[in-house]
C-alpha cells in the first residue's frame, strides 16, 4: 500500500519569499491533516480537512498561511510571505475518517527560512 | 501548562532493558495515540487507546482514564527502538484535533 506522499523533502528560502508544500494522502482517506513541528516540540495542527471541507483551521496563521484540498484528494499548503519562525518540519497525515484507529504520516517537508 | 505532558524528556537505556514512557493529560479525551518518530521526521502510529491495554510485539500501551495517564512500555529494548515517542490525545468533542506531547527521546545503546 502506498503511503502518504509529500514533496519537496527539503526547502530553503529567504524570509518574505513564498513556498508551497504538496501532500497526496493514502487512497480513500477522507481526513487529511497538516501539522507544523518546530525543532524539539511535538507537532501542532495547522488545518484539518474532511474530504474537501475544512474541519478545523483555528491554529492556522491565516494572514500568511493557506491550504486547500479542492478535489478532496491531494492538498497544498502555502506560506506567503515566510518568516524566520516558520522554519519547521511540515507534516501531512491522513486517516480513513475522523477519529480512525490509525493515522498515517508522510515523511514531512523540512523548511528553513533564512 | 501543556495539556499533554510526557516524561522523561530524554531516556538512555542499555539493550535489553525494560523501558517505560509516561504521558499525563489534563483534558477530557476520547482516545490517546502513541506515535514513533524516527530521525528524518517519519512518524508511525503505534497504538490508539481509549481504555485498558494493547500489546503489539514488544510494545505495550496502557491507559487509566480516571487518572488521565498512559504508559508505553518496551520490553527487551533494542537499538532499533531508538526514536522519539510522542503521546497525542483526541479531545472529547469529536472532530477536534489531536493535541501532542513534546515527545520522549529514547536512545538504546548496544
Amino acid at each position: 500500500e502506498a503511503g502518504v506522499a509529500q514533496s519537496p523533502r527539503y526547502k530553503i528560502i529567504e524570509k518574505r519569499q513564498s513556498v508551497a508544500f504538496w501532500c497526496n494522502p493514502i487512497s480513500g482517506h477522507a481526513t487529511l491533516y497538516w501539522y507544523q513541528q518546530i525543532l524539539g516540540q511535538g507537532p501542532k495542527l495547522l488545518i484539518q480537512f474532511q474530504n474537501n471541507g475544512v474541519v478545523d483551521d483555528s491554529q492556522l496563521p491565516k494572514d500568511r498561511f493557506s491550504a486547500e484540498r479542492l478535489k478532496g484528494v491531494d492538498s497544498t499548503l502555502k506560506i506567503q510571505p515566510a518568516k524566520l519562525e516558520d522554519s519547521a518540519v511540515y507534516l501531512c497525515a491522513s486517516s480513513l475518517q475522523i477519529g480512525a484507529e490509525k493515522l498515517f504520516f508522510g515523511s514531512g517537508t523540512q523548511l528553513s527560512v533564512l | 501548562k501543556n495539556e499533554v505532558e510526557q516524561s522523561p524528556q530524554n531516556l538512555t537505556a542499555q539493550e535489553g532493558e525494560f523501558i517505560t514512557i509516561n504521558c499525563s493529560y489534563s483534558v477530557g479525551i476520547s482516545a490517546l495515540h502513541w506515535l514513533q518518530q524516527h530521525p528524518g521526521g517519519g512518524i508511525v502510529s503505534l497504538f490508539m487507546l481509549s481504555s485498558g491495554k494493547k500489546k503489539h510485539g514488544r510494545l505495550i500501551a496502557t491507559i487509566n482514564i480516571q487518572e488521565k495517564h498512559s504508559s508505553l512500555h518496551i520490553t527487551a529494548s533494542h537499538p532499533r527502538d531508538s526514536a522519539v515517542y510522542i503521546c497525542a490525545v483526541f479531545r472529547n468533542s469529536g472532530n477536534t484535533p489531536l493535541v501532542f506531547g513534546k515527545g520522549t527521546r529514547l536512545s538504546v545503546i548496544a
Side-chain angles (χ1 to χ4, degrees):
Chain A
E1 174 184 88
V4 177
Q6 284 189 250
S7 67
R9 188 73 180 88
Y10 303 94
K11 189 74 178 178
I12 300 172
I13 61 172
E14 294 186 349
K15 60 183 180 184
R16 291 188 289 273
Q17 285 188 322
S18 302
V19 64
F21 313 127
W22 174 81
C23 172
N24 192 10
I26 292 173
S27 177
H29 280 198
T31 311
L32 184 147
Y33 308 81
W34 281 104
Y35 291 94
Q36 180 194 58
Q37 187 175 22
I38 292 171
L39 188 66
Q41 299 182 18
K44 182 186 88 170
L45 180 75
L46 293 175
I47 190 166
Q48 177 184 348
F49 291 96
Q50 180 70 6
N51 298 308
N52 61 349
V54 175
V55 173
D56 190 315
D57 63 357
S58 56
Q59 298 187 87
L60 186 74
K62 297 181 187 63
D63 57 333
R64 298 184 300 106
F65 285 64
S66 64
E68 58 184 18
R69 193 185 183 198
L70 292 175
K71 296 181 180 177
V73 181
D74 56 349
S75 175
T76 54
L77 174 70
K78 295 179 183 177
I79 308 175
Q80 181 179 7
K83 293 185 175 181
L84 296 177
E85 58 262 35
D86 299 331
S87 295
V89 175
Y90 290 84
L91 292 160
C92 179
S94 71
S95 63
L96 272 173
Q97 292 292 340
I98 291 172
E101 179 81 16
K102 283 262 187 187
L103 273 184
F104 295 84
F105 285 82
S107 297
T109 295
Q110 186 165 333
L111 173 68
S112 298
V113 182
L114 307 177
Chain B
K1 189 179 188 299
N2 293 330
E3 291 173 315
V4 180
E5 296 278 358
Q6 285 186 237
S7 64
Q9 279 189 300
N10 295 284
L11 180 58
T12 300
Q14 292 290 325
E15 183 174 359
E17 283 187 12
F18 180 85
I19 288 162
T20 296
I21 299 169
N22 296 299
C23 174
S24 297
Y25 50 91
S26 57
V27 295
I29 70 167
S30 58
L32 180 145
H33 272 274
W34 280 103
L35 308 167
Q36 180 192 55
Q37 185 171 30
H38 280 284
I43 294 181
V44 173
S45 175
L46 298 174
F47 298 104
M48 187 173 94
L49 293 163
S50 53
S51 65
K53 174 179 168 178
K54 285 191 177 179
K55 184 176 189 295
H56 182 70
R58 295 180 295 107
L59 301 177
I60 303 166
T62 63
I63 188 167
N64 185 318
I65 297 292
Q66 286 73 32
E67 293 186 4
K68 295 189 174 181
H69 181 269
S70 175
S71 293
L72 176 69
H73 305 286
I74 305 175
T75 62
S77 59
H78 190 276
R80 65 175 174 267
D81 297 326
S82 298
V84 175
Y85 292 84
I86 302 172
C87 170
V89 301
F90 274 114
R91 291 200 198 94
N92 253 338
S93 46
N95 291 345
T96 55
L98 288 175
V99 178
F100 290 81
K102 291 186 177 181
T104 294
R105 185 174 299 277
L106 172 66
S107 297
V108 181
I109 300 168

